[in-house]
Amino acid sequence: MATLDRDKVSTAGDNCDQQTDPEIDKDFAHQVMATVGQGIVVSSEGWRFEYVNPAFARMVGRMPKELIGRSMDETRPD
């Protein structure tokens, strides 16, 4: 099971005026999305999977790498 870096977690209003590195923010967002129990999908305008978290992959019975780049229509159950 993945864990979150608690040093990066803050409450609303903490450090509001501080600039952060976009790559660090992106990495942290991926950590959060990968560890939540709800299915999360990011898709392109053409309805192709760009990101699928493990919870969503479990819901559809696939591995995330099987879904990335494929269209949602291609992956619907029969």
Side-chain angles (χ1 to χ4, degrees):
M1 181 163 106
T3 59
L4 297 177
D5 184 351
R6 293 188 185 277
D7 293 335
K8 293 181 182 176
V9 178
S10 63
T11 58
D14 287 355
N15 305 319
C16 287
D17 57 343
Q18 292 182 354
Q19 295 286 333
T20 59
D21 181 346
E23 282 302 311
I24 292 172
D25 290 344
K26 183 179 174 183
D27 290 344
F28 181 66
H30 277 158
Q31 278 186 359
V32 171
M33 290 188 295
T35 58
V36 297
Q38 292 80 21
I40 297 176
V41 171
V42 176
S43 67
S44 67
E45 289 183 28
W47 297 101
R48 293 199 174 276
F49 293 106
E50 292 185 0
Y51 174 82
V52 174
N53 77 339
F56 180 81
R58 280 191 304 276
M59 290 168 55
V60 297
R62 307 269 182 124
M63 298 296 294
K65 64 183 178 184
E66 294 178 84
L67 298 169
I68 303 301
R70 296 183 68 191
S71 98
M72 290 186 184
D73 286 336
E74 293 174 48
T75 58
R76 280 194 306 202
D78 295 327

